[in-house]
Amino acid sequence: MDKQRYMISDAAALVNVESHVLRYWEEELELTVPRNEMGHRYYTKENIEQFMKIKEWKEQGYQLKAIKLLIHNGGREDAPELLAAAASEPAKQTLSTEVEDNTRRMEQFQHMMAQIVKGAIAENNQALGKEVSERVRDYVLKEMNYLMREQDEAEEERYKKLDELIRQSLKAKGKKEKKLFHKKQEWKPNEA
């Protein structure tokens, strides 16, 4: 008589969980799942029923430790008491430990994120500072060049005006000297 065999994907679909959940339960609950000649898992109707019961217990809020106790005690009649006992004190301790672990992990995560953000800001500030200094330098150089060119042009204009005034002055002086020379020539008494 050949029993019906299911592959893990089919079994997972029947139990309505992911395949990795079946593998996890198998490992954590120390379940014996048969394998074929190639070493691949296959599931029987009994395995699927067992997984459905495990899923039901999980949905009722029982932890795997309690479910493991129940499975390995052969589904005794005192199962509810056994589950309640298993779920009471150790579950509270486990929950407390899990909360502490999660709090510690959250603090570590926050610290790590703060370091990442701090590093990113420092890196960004450095790049931003460099860009700002380059832009300021370029602007200052352009402005200084403009001012120096303006100053050079103003000086050149001043020198042109000064040169023109000197020339005019020399021209005027030359004309005066000519006039004086001519006047001196006119006033000279004749030598006889």
Side-chain angles (χ1 to χ4, degrees):
M1 179 160 34
D2 211 17
K3 284 187 170 182
Q4 175 87 27
R5 292 182 176 187
Y6 300 94
M7 292 176 33
I8 192 165
S9 57
D10 297 329
L14 289 170
V15 179
N16 199 21
V17 295
E18 297 290 325
S19 299
H20 66 88
V21 174
L22 295 184
R23 287 191 292 273
Y24 177 71
W25 286 348
E26 177 186 340
E27 184 180 320
E28 289 297 312
L29 300 174
E30 298 174 3
L31 301 176
T32 305
V33 175
R35 295 182 180 259
N36 64 17
E37 46 284 341
M38 293 179 63
H40 297 285
R41 294 176 175 89
Y42 68 87
Y43 298 91
T44 63
K45 185 178 177 183
E46 291 80 21
N47 295 124
I48 292 172
E49 288 172 359
Q50 186 178 39
F51 283 128
M52 290 178 132
K53 190 66 179 168
I54 292 168
K55 183 180 176 193
E56 181 184 321
W57 286 331
K58 287 293 292 170
E59 288 170 351
Q60 291 174 4
Y62 294 110
Q63 294 185 354
L64 287 179
K65 287 181 183 181
I67 295 171
K68 183 177 178 180
L69 278 174
L70 185 59
I71 289 172
H72 292 290
N73 284 320
R76 299 182 347 205
E77 287 183 20
D78 61 347
E81 293 84 18
L82 186 63
L83 286 174
S88 64
E89 197 56 39
K92 288 178 187 173
Q93 289 174 353
T94 303
L95 182 61
S96 174
T97 305
E98 286 177 9
V99 168
E100 289 172 11
D101 286 348
N102 288 343
T103 303
R104 185 175 39 76
R105 285 187 193 128
M106 182 57 77
E107 288 170 355
Q108 289 173 344
F109 176 74
Q110 288 172 338
H111 177 71
M112 183 176 63
M113 288 305 295
Q115 293 301 320
I116 290 170
V117 169
K118 183 179 175 183
I121 289 173
E123 193 175 300
N124 191 29
N125 281 347
Q126 205 171 30
L128 187 61
K130 185 177 179 181
E131 184 178 336
V132 166
S133 68
E134 287 174 2
R135 286 186 181 192
V136 167
R137 183 194 68 213
D138 290 346
Y139 175 77
V140 168
L141 286 174
K142 285 178 184 176
E143 192 66 25
M144 285 178 68
N145 285 338
Y146 173 75
L147 291 174
M148 289 177 75
R149 199 175 16 198
E150 247 186 13
Q151 186 178 4
D152 288 346
E153 288 172 1
E155 277 184 27
E156 190 175 325
E157 188 65 32
R158 192 173 65 211
Y159 286 130
K160 281 182 182 178
K161 285 181 181 179
L162 185 60
D163 185 49
E164 190 178 315
L165 286 173
I166 290 173
R167 287 177 194 263
Q168 285 176 356
S169 174
L170 286 174
K171 246 185 192 182
K173 189 176 180 182
K175 284 182 182 179
K176 262 187 180 177
E177 285 178 2
K178 271 185 181 180
K179 276 185 185 180
L180 280 175
F181 179 74
H182 287 296
K183 277 187 183 182
K184 280 185 182 179
Q185 291 291 330
E186 290 173 10
W187 285 95
K188 268 187 179 181
N190 287 338
E191 292 181 23

